[in-house]
Each structure stands twice: as C-alpha cells, then as structure tokens.
Amino acid sequence: MHPKTLFFLKYYMRLGFLSAVILLPSLSRGQFGLSLSELPPFSPINNVAITLPDSSLSYNFMTTGHLFGSHENRNSIYPAASFLSNIDMINSHTPTVFITIGDIIRSATDSLAIQAWQITGRKLNVPVYNAPGNHDLDDGVVAYGKAFGRDQSSFFIRNDFFLLLNTEYLLEGKTAKIKSFIDLETKKATKRAKPVRHLFVFSHRMLAPLCSNDLASLDAYSNDPISDKVNKEDACEIFEKLLEIPRTGEYWHFSGDVGTHWSVPALYGFDVQHHCHLLATGVGDAPEDRIAKVSVSPEGKVTAEVLSLSPTGMTQPATDFTATFWEKNKKQKQLDRVTSKNGILAQFRKVSFWGGVGTGVLLSLLGLFLFRGFFKNVRLTLNWKKEK
C-alpha cells in the first residue's frame, strides 16, 4: 500500500473513532432527541425498517384489526379478501408504519395461515407491527413471538410515542405483565431529552370503555365485549398508567376487536374527562370493512380518517362513527327493510299469514257457536215433543 494512502486511512480511522467517542454518549443520553434504543426498528413481520419522516413534513400511519376476516370462512388460511384487494391502495398512501390490532390470523396453530400472512406482510412497502388478539395467541406467547415478534413493543416516530399492548393478559389475570411493560417504557420515555408529544396506544381489546362514563356504552359494540369478563379495577389501573405518561400532546387509543357482521366496522368515542380519543376499526370480509388513516402535521395536529375497503373507496372523518351514528344507522336499516320492495312484500306476506290465521280462528269460533246453537235447538225440539 502506498505510504500516503496508508497515512490517510489511519487519519480517517482515528477521526471516526474520535467522533464515535464524542457523539455516542450524547446520543445514548438522548441529547439529539434520539437514543440508541430509539433508532428506527425493523418490523418483525416483513423486516422493513421505519423511515423517520423529515420534521418539515407531515406523516401518516394506517391501522385496523381482525384481518383474518369473516368467521364463516373457516377453511381459509388467507387474510380477508377486502384487505388483500387493497394492498396497493394502502401502499399508495405511503404510511410510515402499518399497525394491525390483533386477530391477523384465524388460528396461531395453523402454520399455513402464519406463512400466508408473512407473505402478505411482505407485499406492504412499509413496516408492519401487530398488537396481538386472542386468535393470534391461541398457541401461546412463545409461538407467537417466533412468528410475529414480541407481544408488546414500542417505538418513537419523531417525538410521538407508539405503544403496542397485549391485552389478552387482562383476560388471563396476568395484568402485571402489561403494567410492568408500561412502567418500563414510561421510564425510557421520561429519560429522553425531548418530551413525548402524542401518545398512540394500540390494543386488541378496548380498555377505556371499562373506565370512562363517556365511553362506557362502546364495549357493547365489540366483537367480544369484555366488561363482564375482566377485573375492571385491573383494567382501569392500566388505563390510569397510560394517562400518567408525561406528554405535551394528545392521547389516542386504537382497538381492533370490531368488524364482524354482529358488531361494527368502525367506532369512535371521546372521553372528555381524560381527554382520550378511542378509535376502533376492523375487517369482516364485508362491503362495510374499514381501515383508519391517522395523519400528523409538522405542527403536531392529528387528523383521523376512516377509509372504506369497498370499491367506492369512500373516506370519512373518524369522528362520524360514534355510537349515536350506529344507533341511527340501525334504525335506518330497519326502516329500509320495511320500506323496500322486498321489505313491503315480506310485510305483506307476514300480514297475510297472520291475517289468515286470525280469520281462521274467528271462523272456527263462529262455526263452534253456530254448531252449539244448532244442537241446543235440536235438544229443545226433542224435549218439546216428549212433553207433548
């Protein structure tokens, strides 16, 4: 090697070493707003790394739950058709991350279903994370970890804190696992040089309705309501821990236990007392399937929309999908069934049937009355003849 080349090589190696000595301690202390533990992680599902957005630009993330779709498709190993047919649409929105909120597979014991989802995940151009649901965990946490990574995780995008929880522990009486995870992540967050701005929490089960008067009615809209299945004190302790995480911005809690034909595809509620937004979206292989898109502006404004997975591609503000909206929608559907052509025919057939039954009963009673009168007259006539 030429002496000058060797000289410059040694020079730049020493310079690089000196820079590392100076910068790494500062980085690890978070003096640049990013600690070593906050470096963009790779998705355990599709091995794509989170690309941190430029601070001068807005960013968005997309989320939904129950991606295995309809319970009736029991033999299918694939995710819902409505989701598969919209992968290009999801990629076109260029989300920074795509977060699924549980029940991405029908059964964790089905190796083919796991492989099918891993193939599907690789078709998404963004990192994919999952907050597990009961279907994902029916073969245990260890098996889940081998297929999809940790059951509870966290990361930062800018100064926004993302927490993914395993709320199945709540139903198993193992809430200490959730609480200890939140405590650990809270300690990490408070050590940052820059404070947490927004807190985005993802859990398959809805926690807030168990602890908030404003949101109490929303539990009934879940695929599997849990108000009578868990210890509410434990659930509310978790909720309080989340509320206590220091932040300067908003708290949004996302759930994925909706989407079946007996529940709803999207649900929004706001807890005035705790200033908490709740947004649940889910998929059920139906025209009503929805996915949430949340955009964060450079100034920190959070905007949540709900996108239809049907060919119409309709987009609506998430705030439209309240419990009041669904009650009105339910009444309107009942009215539509009555006033539609088929509904009118059905009502006519119903009225005709019961009208026929009623007429038959009346005629039978009338016949019985006349028959009874006839025999009474015959008996009187016979008695008269005898007396005569």
Side-chain angles (χ1 to χ4, degrees), residues 90-326:
I90 294 169
N91 285 332
S92 72
H93 284 271
T94 60
T96 300
V97 66
F98 183 81
I99 301 175
T100 58
I101 327 175
D103 288 356
I104 58 176
I105 52 176
R106 195 175 307 276
S107 173
T109 61
D110 190 336
S111 60
L112 289 177
I114 293 172
Q115 291 176 41
W117 221 104
Q118 290 168 337
I119 292 170
T120 301
R122 289 195 287 271
K123 293 184 178 181
L124 290 163
N125 297 334
V126 297
V128 181
Y129 287 85
N130 182 47
N134 53 305
H135 286 267
D136 308 324
L137 294 163
D138 60 10
D139 198 26
V141 173
V142 174
Y144 172 83
K146 290 178 181 178
F148 300 111
R150 294 170 58 192
D151 63 323
Q152 300 191 106
S153 58
S154 71
F155 53 84
F156 276 88
I157 296 179
R158 292 189 187 150
N159 293 309
D160 300 330
F161 194 17
F162 289 70
L163 271 177
L164 283 66
L165 306 179
N166 175 2
T167 43
E168 295 311 300
Y169 285 135
L170 188 61
L171 282 84
E172 298 168 2
K174 300 177 181 178
T175 51
K177 290 182 177 290
I178 305 175
K179 290 185 279 190
S180 60
F181 173 74
I182 295 171
D183 288 340
L184 179 63
E185 298 306 310
T186 302
K187 285 180 182 178
K188 290 180 183 177
T190 53
K191 289 180 179 179
R192 301 178 81 245
K194 293 185 179 181
V196 173
R197 183 175 60 177
H198 302 309
L199 174 62
F200 298 124
V201 179
F202 302 81
S203 67
H204 184 61
R205 307 289 185 169
M206 290 193 284
L207 294 177
L210 306 181
C211 314
S212 164
N213 292 330
D214 293 333
L215 304 176
S217 64
L218 302 191
D219 180 63
Y221 290 89
S222 297
N223 295 342
D224 182 20
I226 60 171
S227 60
D228 60 344
K229 298 177 181 178
V230 302
N231 185 317
K232 287 189 179 182
E233 290 183 4
D234 286 341
C236 294
E237 190 173 343
I238 293 169
F239 184 56
E240 289 296 330
K241 280 184 177 292
L242 293 169
L243 291 170
E244 290 168 3
I245 295 176
R247 56 186 166 81
T248 61
E250 299 179 18
Y251 169 30
W252 284 74
H253 201 127
F254 300 91
S255 169
D257 193 27
V258 294
T260 57
H261 65 83
W262 63 82
S263 64
V264 295
L267 185 65
Y268 172 83
F270 181 69
D271 181 353
V272 176
Q273 180 184 352
H274 302 105
H275 205 78
C276 166
H277 301 265
L278 172 65
L279 178 58
T281 50
V283 170
D285 274 314
E288 296 80 17
D289 288 348
R290 298 289 196 277
I291 186 171
K293 176 185 177 182
V294 181
S295 302
V296 184
S297 73
E299 299 76 28
K301 182 180 178 182
V302 180
T303 305
E305 300 172 303
V306 172
L307 283 62
S308 171
L309 295 182
S310 72
T312 62
M314 185 171 60
T315 300
Q316 292 174 259
T319 51
D320 284 356
F321 295 91
T322 61
T324 303
F325 167 84
W326 289 114

